[in-house]
Every structure is written in C-alpha cells, then in structure tokens.
C-alpha cells in the first residue's frame, strides 16, 4: 500500500503516480514522514497498528509532506533534486487544491524547460495555472503530459472548462481503470467551496439525475473516492433537495449520514455536510442553532488539524451571522480575512468572494460589489461555472436595483431566471431574503409577468424576508433626535458652508452656530464636519441633496 494513501485506507492512482526512476518503490513505501502538528517522527503503519491518533481523527487531505520550513530550506540550498523529490510526494497525496496553491512558490524555482520536461511538474503547473484563472496556460502545460495518459485524464477532469463531454469521457476512462486495475483516481472535492455538486466542477446540470439515482451515485462515488466516499452521495442528494426547497428530505438525509461520516469519512466531507445543515436550519427559521453549530464545526476542523479547511470557516461564519444582523462580525472579517480583489485572482477563493459581495451590499458599497463581480465574470464563464454565475448575477441585480438602476437589474434577471428555473436553484434566490423579494416583485410588475415559478420565488424570498429582516441591512445607530435647527445646520454643513455663512443664512451669531455644531457632534458621536455629514447620510437622519 502506498505511503501517501495509507491515511485513506485505499489504493489510490493519482496524476502523480509515476515517480522519478531514481527513487525505488521500496524506499518510497516505507519512508518515515513527519506528521504536521506532531513533533515526533513516525509512519502510518505504526499508527494503523496501534490505533492511536489516526484512529481518533478523520481522514484529512492536509498534506503531511507539506512542511514549509523544510521546503524553504531546500530552496535556500538550491537543492533542486531534493525539492523535486519532495514536491512529487506532496503532489501524489490525496488531492487538495489548496496544497497545489501553496506549492506554487516552490514550482517557480524550476525553469520553464524543467517544468515542461517533467510530467508531474507540468501537471502541477497546469493545476496551479487553473487555480489562478489562467486556463490557456493550464491547457499549455496539460499538453506537455500527453505522454502520461493517467496524468492527462486527471487534468481533463480538473481543469475548468465548458467541454463537458471531454470531462465525462475522462471520468469514464478513470472508472474503467478502477474496475480493471483496482486503483482509484485522485480527484479533489470542493475546490474551496462548501459544496460537492458545485465543487471542483459544476455538476448542477445533472441535478435531476442525482435526485433520482442516489444509489447509482453511491457506486460512482465509491469508484472515484474509495473509502473517502462515505456520505458523499447523500450530501450531493441533499444539496439538490435543498436547492429545490425540499428541506425536510434534505435534513433527514443529512442527519442519517453525518454520524457515518464522523466515524469513517473525510473531515472535508463533514465540513460540507455541517455547513449545509446550518443553511437548512437558517432557511427553516432556526437561527438560534447557528451559534452552537458554528462552534461544533470549528471544533471539528481544529481537532482534525484541517489548516486549509479553516481558511473558509471565517467566510461561512460571516454568512450565517448575516442573517442575525451581526454587522460587527462582518466588518471584522472584511478588515482581517476577506480576500483582496485588487491582488491576484485565486479561484479557490470564489466562495469567499461571494460572501464579500454580500458584505459590500450590506455596507451599501454597490460599485465595489459590481467591480468585484466583473473581476470574476470571465474566469467563471470560461470555467463553465453556471451556478456561480447565477449567484453572482443575482447579487449584481440586487446592487443595480438598490443603486437606482432598475433596468440593468431587470436585464440581468431576464438572462438568469430561465437558467435558475431549468436547474431549480430555488434556494439560491430565496435565501437572499428581503432585497431579492422587492427586486423580484418590481421585476414582475415592470415586465408584466404572470409566471408560476417567478411567483414561487417571490413567496420563498418573502418568507426569508419575514424571518430575517436584518439580513444584508446596514445597522443604524440609535441617535438622540436632532432639533429642527440642528437638522438645518447639518444640511448647510453638507453644502460645505462655513460657520460665518451658516450664521448669515440662519440669522444667528457665529457662537450660536458653534454651539449647535457641538451638540450635533455629541449626538452623532463624531468629531468632524465630514463625519457628521456621513453619519447623517448613512442613517437617513435628514434629507440631504
């Protein structure tokens, strides 16, 4: 059994299964490794025999070979051969795309010629290029591994694109390899998203098949993921049910499979299951359970030492607490953890970008939200991410509508609503609550539509609006009331009048103007004119031009 697959209890045939000839199979299979978060050196045979630690934690795609300090030391020593050997081991582990992302700086040590002439480095370069949205470069590197059919098949599946027939052909060939040779493909799971159906690829077009063929899906999952497939088919089925607003069917499925995932499955699969369970609880009005659920999810990720899964925990927490009107948590996340769209695009951050768009809407920064959407649009389109595009365009429509541009909002709805209806993304729309409710209601009126499905979405979003009136609503300060004179002076401050000009206009003394301005500052808890005007605008305390 391969050393890089022993934590998963199966025989895994990955895109990096062909090692450099210089390393003997025996040497690789029994090479002692260091377990992350554990200072002692050991091997997985010892763990499996004793049952300690490994028996107490779930399967985890965090890569035990990825020890940044050791890799950095190899770079400083310019020891390319040792670095190449260590990278081959890292990349041969059960596939975690975040692991590829963190290997990027080490891949840059090699020349372009070295990369294209070394199949597993070219494969890594292809995946990393796709992660950063450069699909043309990803295909360039993929073409360099045509001589390695297994690697090429994995890349045909993993590199985003719109050619679904190529993907299905590759999956079929990998399935045949599993049947005939007993090896498993080495495929990722969710690619930074909290979903399997819209994970490393968008499989939502097969929603009806997943809904009707759960048992067949179990077999496929087993063929692709082996022992790690515990609960995957059930989660995919529950996701489809949830999107179709079949919440009872979704939650009963999850409740039935989560204990099995906790005992035998992967921590990443459990993370997706628990996050979906939280969404269903929110959709059914049980916001009180979100806080203990968030604690449970964090404890499981922390106990499982899931460093790369924890990167998405903050965004998931923020999204959940938005429904409870927790503006401060959103603000803290935006300052400390949210991805920066002014830097380099990373497609593994798509989920976090989507949460950031909602934060922009909450903060009434509509232009920033629309700019972020345009930043993502082309990579999502080229990657065939239909569900992501529908979600993003729905948020864009909300932003246009709230920013006084209803026609732009309605044009987007004209485009996405047929797709939403075809794929039954009911909850994708309804979960946005009040803002989508008003948008759809006005859209129906302006377009003079009497459509049963549209009416259904309006009713679902209305229900969420009633459950969570503070969702995506900016918190308003509870200021003491302003006097009529203070309101008039605020209007003049907004018009950038000086104290003398205000005194002349109001026919009062300058000292009286200063007295009123001091009272305004005290009531609004500000220190400058600019802050006073901003607070008045944001909280609609007065009518300002």
């Amino acid at each position: 059994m391969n050393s890089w697959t022993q934590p998963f209890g199966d025989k895994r045939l990955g895109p990096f299964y062909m090692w450099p000839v210089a390393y003997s199979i025996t040497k690789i299979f029994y090479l002692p490794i260091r377990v992350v978060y554990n200072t002692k050196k050991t091997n997985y045979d010892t763990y499996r025999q004793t049952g300690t630690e490994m028996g107490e934690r779930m399967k985890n795609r965090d890569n035990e070979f990825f020890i940044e300090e050791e890799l950095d030391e190899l770079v400083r020593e310019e020891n390319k051969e040792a670095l190449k050997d260590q990278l081959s081991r890292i990349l041969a582990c059960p596939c975690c795309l975040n692991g590829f992302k963190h290997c990027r700086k080490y891949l840059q040590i090699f020349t372009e010629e070295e990369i294209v002439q070394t199949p597993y480095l070219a494969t890594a370069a292809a995946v990393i290029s796709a992660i950063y949205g450069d699909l043309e470069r990803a295909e360039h590197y993929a073409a360099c591994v045509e001589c390695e059919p297994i690697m090429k098949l994995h890349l045909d599946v993993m590199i985003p694109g719109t050619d679904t027939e190529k993907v299905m052909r590759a999956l079929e060939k990998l399935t045949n390899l599993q049947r005939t040779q007993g090896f498993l493909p080495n495929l990722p799971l969710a690619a930074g998203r909290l979903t399997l159906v819209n994970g490393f690829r968008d499989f939502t077009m097969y929603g009806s098949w997943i809904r009707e063929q759960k048992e067949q899906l179990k077999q496929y999952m087993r063929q692709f993921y082996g022992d790690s497939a515990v609960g995957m088919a059930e989660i995919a089925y529950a996701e489809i049910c949830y999107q179709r607003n079949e919440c009872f069917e979704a939650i009963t499925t999850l409740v039935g499979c989560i204990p099995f995932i906790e005992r035998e499955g992967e921590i990443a699969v459990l993370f997706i299951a628990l996050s979906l369970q939280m969404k269903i609880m929110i959709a059914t009005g049980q916001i009180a359970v979100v806080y203990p659920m968030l604690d449970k999810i964090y404890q499981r990720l922390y106990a499982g030492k899931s460093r790369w899964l924890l990167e998405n925990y903050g965004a998931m927490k923020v999204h959940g607490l938005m429904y409870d009107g927790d503006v401060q948590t959103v603000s803290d996340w935006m300052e400390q953890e949210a991805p920066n769209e002014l830097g380099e695009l990373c497609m593994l951050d798509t989920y976090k970008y989507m949460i950031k768009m909602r934060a922009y809407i909450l903060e009434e920064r509509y232009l920033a939200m629309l700019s972020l959407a345009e930043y993502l649009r082309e990579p999502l389109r080229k990657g065939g991410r239909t569900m992501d595009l529908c979600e993003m365009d729905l948020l864009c429509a909300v932003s246009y509508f709230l920013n006084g541009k209803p026609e732009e909002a309605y044009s987007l709805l004209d485009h996405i609503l047929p797709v939403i209806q075809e794929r039954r993304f009911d909850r994708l729309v309804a979960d946005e609550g009040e803002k989508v409710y008003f948008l759809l209601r006005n859209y129906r009126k302006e377009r003079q539509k009497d459509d049963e499905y549209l009416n259904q979405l309006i009713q679902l979003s209305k229900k969420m609006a009633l459950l969570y009136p503070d969702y995506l609503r900016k918190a308003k300060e509870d200021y003491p009331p302003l006097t009529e004179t203070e309101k008039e002076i605020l209007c003049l401050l907004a018009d950038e009048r000086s104290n003398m000009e205000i005194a002349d206009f109001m026919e009062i003394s300058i000292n009286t103007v200063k007295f009123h301005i001091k009272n305004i500052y005290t009531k609004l808890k500000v220190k400058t004119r600019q802050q006073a005007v901003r607070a008045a605008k944001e909280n609609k305390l007065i009518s300002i031009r």
Side-chain angles (χ1 to χ4, degrees):
M1 182 174 289
N2 300 10
S3 64
W4 60 85
T5 65
Q6 287 178 355
F8 284 71
D10 52 45
K11 203 172 183 183
R12 190 173 298 269
L13 177 60
F16 305 99
Y17 79 111
M18 291 192 173
W19 290 70
V21 176
Y23 297 93
S24 71
I25 297 298
T26 303
K27 184 175 181 181
I28 293 168
F29 279 11
Y30 296 99
L31 184 71
I33 63 173
R34 181 180 298 170
V35 179
V36 179
Y37 305 101
N38 192 340
T39 56
K40 64 182 180 181
K41 288 191 176 182
T42 185
N43 61 54
Y44 283 120
D45 285 330
T46 302
Y47 272 140
R48 192 168 292 280
Q49 290 167 7
T50 63
T52 61
E53 296 191 33
M54 279 299 296
E56 297 171 2
R57 68 176 186 175
M58 301 176 65
K59 302 181 183 74
N60 192 338
R61 289 186 177 233
D62 271 17
N63 200 305
E64 286 82 3
F65 287 105
F66 188 88
I67 305 171
E68 193 167 10
E69 295 80 6
E70 293 185 4
L71 294 169
D72 289 343
E73 181 64 26
L74 294 176
V75 171
R76 285 191 293 270
E77 295 173 355
E78 299 184 357
N79 190 341
K80 283 190 174 183
E81 288 305 312
L83 182 61
K84 188 183 294 185
D85 171 40
Q86 193 67 2
L87 284 176
S88 67
R89 293 175 183 156
I90 292 169
L91 301 173
C93 285
C95 186
C96 176
L97 294 183
N98 266 307
F100 280 84
K101 181 180 75 172
H102 290 288
C103 284
R104 184 191 193 193
K105 67 177 181 178
Y106 305 112
L107 196 66
Q108 292 172 341
I109 302 301
F110 301 96
T111 66
E112 181 72 7
E113 183 179 5
E114 289 172 321
I115 291 173
V116 299
Q117 291 182 357
T118 309
Y120 65 85
L121 292 183
T123 303
V127 175
I128 291 169
S129 297
I131 286 172
Y132 287 94
D134 191 345
L135 300 185
E136 289 78 11
R137 193 166 183 81
E139 293 293 350
H140 161 72
Y141 286 121
C144 298
V145 298
E146 292 283 356
C147 59
E148 301 290 353
I150 302 299
M151 294 186 185
K152 186 60 169 64
L153 286 175
H154 280 78
L155 290 178
D156 287 346
V157 175
M158 292 167 64
I159 294 177
T162 56
D163 189 349
T164 56
E165 291 185 3
K166 181 176 77 171
V167 175
M168 298 312 292
R169 286 195 302 270
L171 288 172
E172 183 178 355
K173 290 178 181 178
L174 289 172
T175 301
N176 289 334
L177 278 171
Q178 192 275 331
R179 289 172 180 166
T180 58
Q181 300 184 26
F183 290 104
L184 288 175
N186 192 4
L187 299 175
L189 289 173
R193 295 167 173 84
L194 302 185
T195 168
L196 293 179
V197 172
N198 186 34
F200 76 94
R201 293 197 75 92
D202 186 333
F203 291 108
T204 58
M205 71 181 71
Y206 305 109
S208 294
W209 184 89
I210 293 171
R211 179 69 178 81
E212 297 165 4
Q213 303 291 334
K214 184 168 63 172
E215 293 305 315
Q216 182 65 48
L217 181 62
K218 284 183 183 181
Q219 295 181 27
Y220 284 133
M221 288 296 192
R222 184 75 181 182
Q223 290 171 342
F224 291 135
Y225 293 100
D227 291 345
S228 298
V230 175
M232 286 187 185
E234 288 82 358
I235 292 172
Y237 172 82
E239 285 185 41
I240 297 298
C241 291
Y242 176 70
Q243 279 302 323
R244 297 181 178 206
N245 198 41
E246 300 169 359
C247 293
F248 181 77
E249 180 69 17
I251 194 65
T252 53
T253 300
L254 284 177
V255 169
C257 74
I258 285 175
F260 293 97
I261 300 172
E262 290 179 319
R263 288 199 301 268
E264 305 169 17
E266 281 201 41
I267 187 69
V269 177
L270 179 65
F271 187 26
I272 294 169
L274 292 176
S275 64
L276 177 58
Q277 185 181 20
M278 187 181 78
K279 288 173 68 175
I280 297 171
M281 294 297 101
I282 292 172
T284 53
Q286 302 178 67
I287 190 68
V289 307
V290 168
Y291 292 91
M293 282 202 69
L294 285 169
D295 289 340
K296 177 182 179 182
I297 292 170
Y298 180 81
Q299 292 300 326
R300 291 312 306 256
L301 295 179
Y302 184 80
K305 300 179 174 61
S306 303
R307 48 184 168 167
W308 292 330
L309 292 179
L310 281 166
E311 292 181 6
N312 266 343
Y313 172 80
M316 183 201 69
K317 176 181 178 180
V318 162
H319 192 201
L321 297 186
M322 281 179 177
Y323 288 95
D324 206 29
D326 189 345
V327 176
Q328 187 58 53
T329 297
V330 177
S331 178
D332 292 343
W333 180 78
M334 288 288 281
E335 291 180 6
Q336 301 167 16
E337 297 183 43
N340 182 4
E341 64 266 32
L342 300 179
E344 188 176 23
L345 173 71
C346 178
M347 299 310 294
L348 297 183
D349 288 334
T350 298
Y351 173 72
K352 288 182 274 192
Y353 287 131
M354 294 292 185
I355 304 306
K356 189 171 186 179
M357 288 183 201
R358 290 173 172 86
Y360 277 146
I361 292 173
L362 185 153
E363 295 173 349
E364 299 177 2
R365 297 168 61 186
Y366 304 123
L367 293 180
M369 186 273 147
L370 294 167
S371 296
L372 175 53
E374 290 309 309
Y375 178 68
L376 287 173
R377 185 174 304 281
E378 192 61 14
L380 291 177
R381 185 191 65 79
K382 289 183 177 179
R385 307 300 312 206
T386 301
M387 189 173 191
D388 290 338
L389 285 167
C390 285
E391 179 179 355
M392 185 181 75
D393 280 339
L394 180 67
L395 297 174
C396 285
V398 168
S399 294
Y400 278 125
F401 184 72
L402 295 173
N403 202 32
K405 297 181 178 180
E407 192 52 44
E408 285 89 340
Y410 301 154
S411 295
L412 280 173
L413 292 179
D414 288 336
H415 175 68
I416 64 173
L417 282 177
V419 182
I420 288 171
Q421 182 173 3
E422 177 189 357
R423 301 206 179 184
R424 291 294 309 276
F425 295 155
D426 304 9
R427 296 301 326 178
L428 183 72
V429 176
D431 288 349
E432 299 310 316
E434 180 180 289
K435 289 180 168 51
V436 161
Y437 168 65
F438 284 123
L439 169 62
L440 294 180
R441 197 179 66 177
N442 281 272
Y443 171 77
R444 179 178 61 183
K445 180 180 178 180
E446 290 298 318
R447 291 291 196 258
Q448 297 182 346
K449 287 182 174 289
D450 186 18
D451 179 88
E452 182 180 350
Y453 185 68
L454 177 58
N455 293 338
Q456 177 186 333
L457 294 179
I458 290 172
Q459 290 305 310
L460 287 174
S461 58
K462 180 181 180 181
K463 181 179 179 181
M464 288 295 285
L466 293 171
L467 286 172
Y468 306 109
D470 292 329
Y471 178 65
L472 298 189
R473 179 180 292 178
K474 192 171 185 179
K476 300 294 188 291
E477 288 282 354
D478 187 17
Y479 296 120
L482 300 173
T483 67
E484 288 302 316
T485 301
E486 289 166 350
K487 290 180 182 179
E488 291 173 359
I489 290 177
L490 254 179
C491 288
L492 294 172
L493 291 176
D495 201 33
E496 299 182 354
R497 305 283 186 98
S498 67
N499 285 354
M500 183 175 293
E501 290 172 328
I502 294 173
D504 182 56
F505 184 88
M506 300 284 293
E507 296 184 311
I508 56 179
S509 70
I510 290 181
N511 285 336
T512 303
V513 171
K514 291 179 179 178
F515 172 78
H516 286 303
I517 290 177
K518 181 180 179 181
N519 287 341
I520 291 171
Y521 287 177
T522 300
K523 289 181 179 181
L524 300 187
K525 303 174 186 177
V526 298
K527 296 180 179 180
T528 67
R529 291 173 171 235
Q530 293 79 5
Q531 291 173 349
V533 172
R534 188 183 308 117
K537 286 181 178 180
E538 291 177 351
N539 292 277
K540 298 179 174 60
L541 299 177
I542 54 175
S543 176
I544 298 178
R545 294 194 302 273

